[in-house]
Amino acid sequence: MIHLRSATPLDAPTLRAWDRKAHVVAARGGDGDMDWEYELPREVSWREFLIAEVHGRPVGFVQIIDAALEETHYWGDAEPDLRAVDIWLGEEADLGRGYGTEIMNLVIGRCFADDAVKAVIIDPLAGNTRARRFYERLGFRSVERRVFGDDDCMVYRLDRESWH
Ligand SMILES: CC(C)(COP(=O)(O)OP(=O)(O)OC[C@H]1O[C@@H](n2cnc3c(N)ncnc32)[C@H](O)[C@@H]1OP(=O)(O)O)[C@@H](O)C(=O)NCCC(=O)NCCS
């Protein structure tokens, strides 16, 4: 049911509207809003912006970055060939309907389609217990509690070997 496509500058109004949703704000912690008008047209080798659609309707956003090459070094001295994922659904009404699971399974497959990629990593806020349970059900294991900026996060990892 889910289709993933690259985000384009035309998605900026949708993404800005989603940025104001309480469940998106709560999951983001201290990270500010993305400057979509600047970022969406900017193509860089270490990042993918994806829109998840259900029957042509945008329902979610996914960012995939190469943790070692990302320009701000958010992940510090990350080992090479990791992919870090951020995901959120835009509308409250779309939460808890299975879309996130289907999106993540596509995203994980997309990451591991590159033979070099060793693992997918995620950093939900430590207090985002529902998202943590969601990643655990997908097969991610918690590897460390880590503070990014002002955010107390739990780092999760899914290695290629444990992905089915
Ligand atoms: C996390 C998220 C992508 C999961 O997608 P989803 O389509 O809601 O999830 P599914 O329907 O496939 O699976 C259900 C599970 O998702 C998680 N979930 C559901 N609503 C959620 C919410 N508002 N916030 C976080 N996780 C949620 C729960 O683990 C839920 O299982 P539960 O009912 O046993 O608690 C989605 O809920 C979301 O965008 N949440 C808000 C933003 C967020 O927390 N993003 C992750 C930041 S690391």
Side-chain angles (χ1 to χ4, degrees):
M1 187 162 40
I2 297 279
H3 171 71
L4 294 179
R5 64 164 172 83
S6 296
T8 79
L10 296 176
D11 294 306
T14 301
L15 290 165
R16 262 190 278 109
W18 290 354
D19 282 343
R20 293 193 290 273
K21 300 286 184 175
H23 65 278
V24 176
V25 172
R28 182 165 296 157
D31 292 351
D33 287 353
M34 197 91 82
D35 181 351
W36 295 113
E37 276 70 16
Y38 172 70
E39 294 292 351
L40 286 169
R42 195 162 75 95
E43 287 195 20
V44 286
S45 60
W46 44 263
R47 174 179 75 189
E48 256 191 306
F49 284 154
L50 301 171
I51 295 288
E53 294 183 336
V54 175
H55 304 309
R57 179 176 68 90
V59 297
F61 174 79
V62 176
Q63 167 173 252
I64 305 174
I65 64 170
D66 182 319
L69 300 182
E70 185 272 324
E71 64 188 6
T72 71
H73 299 292
Y74 175 85
W75 285 90
D77 287 330
E79 58 186 286
D81 301 319
L82 300 184
R83 293 293 177 270
V85 171
D86 289 298
I87 174 174
W88 58 89
L89 304 186
E91 303 295 336
E92 296 87 338
D94 287 326
L95 300 173
R97 298 175 61 186
Y99 295 158
T101 301
E102 202 177 327
I103 294 168
M104 279 304 298
N105 280 322
L106 290 173
V107 165
I108 293 164
R110 190 180 185 102
C111 291
F112 286 133
D114 178 343
D115 288 336
V117 172
K118 290 186 292 205
V120 177
I121 54 175
I122 311 240
D123 63 333
L125 292 174
N128 193 348
T129 49
R130 294 194 75 189
R132 289 175 56 179
R133 194 158 61 225
F134 168 76
Y135 296 127
E136 284 161 13
R137 265 200 297 263
L138 283 161
F140 284 80
R141 64 187 170 86
S142 60
V143 287
E144 62 170 330
R145 191 156 179 164
R146 183 165 163 187
V147 175
F148 291 94
D150 292 331
D151 293 332
D152 179 16
C153 296
M154 189 59 77
V155 175
Y156 280 85
R157 176 172 177 134
L158 179 67
D159 286 292
R160 177 184 288 278
E161 302 74 52
S162 38
W163 170 64
H164 306 291

